[in-house]
Amino acid sequence: MKILQPSALKTAVTGSVIAALLAVTTGCATTPGYNAYGDIYEDVYKDSGFYKKNKKAIKSIDKELYRPAIEQTAANKVSSMGYRVKDVKYKKGNRTIKVKAERGREDYKIELGYPNYDVIKIKKD
């Protein structure tokens, strides 16, 4: 019987742990239609009267979940261009983000594309 050296044993254990983690991560990320938040609600409340009664409200919360992050990213992009951001509006389903900003003493309306945040139009207001 051959005895493994401690370094070889450590390498074998580390490799198997990394392989297992990659398999789990890849499975979660590539599952079609996977929604982590939907799973939480559906698994806990699927058969309860609470979920059935509030299904519409729960789904609307899920739709608005990422809106603040999208608006903050757009504001950061515009402010990095040298503007002072006044207001950001993004409506789910639109491919544009509308930003009201100021540079110097002049007001501007800026449209950014979504999801790449490229500048589409800059207009003096």
Side-chain angles (χ1 to χ4, degrees):
M1 184 162 142
K2 187 176 182 182
I3 298 175
L4 293 174
Q5 297 292 330
S7 62
L9 182 61
K10 185 191 257 186
T11 305
V13 169
T14 305
S16 63
V17 168
I18 290 173
L21 288 173
L22 283 173
V24 169
T25 305
T26 304
C28 290
T30 59
T31 304
Y34 180 75
N35 179 0
Y37 298 103
D39 287 350
I40 292 169
Y41 295 126
E42 290 171 4
D43 290 345
V44 174
Y45 300 115
K46 187 191 309 183
D47 296 326
S48 71
F50 177 82
Y51 180 76
K52 290 176 184 175
K53 185 193 272 187
N54 298 306
K55 189 174 186 179
K56 189 174 183 179
I58 290 171
K59 287 192 177 202
S60 70
I61 289 170
D62 284 344
K63 287 180 182 177
E64 296 296 319
L65 190 64
Y66 296 107
R67 189 171 148 228
I70 293 168
E71 290 179 350
Q72 184 63 47
T73 304
N76 291 343
K77 166 82 176 187
V78 171
S79 65
S80 71
M81 293 167 36
Y83 293 90
R84 195 175 93 227
V85 177
K86 291 182 173 182
D87 188 31
V88 180
K89 291 187 180 178
Y90 170 71
K91 190 174 184 183
K92 177 98 173 151
N94 283 352
R95 291 288 186 189
T96 60
I97 304 166
K98 296 180 182 181
V99 180
K100 290 184 181 178
E102 181 180 306
R103 182 188 244 176
R105 293 179 186 225
E106 297 179 359
D107 292 331
Y108 293 89
K109 289 184 178 178
I110 302 170
E111 286 188 19
L112 301 175
Y114 180 77
N116 55 9
Y117 300 99
D118 290 337
V119 177
I120 296 173
K121 185 185 342 179
I122 299 177
K123 179 181 172 185
K124 281 188 180 180
D125 196 21

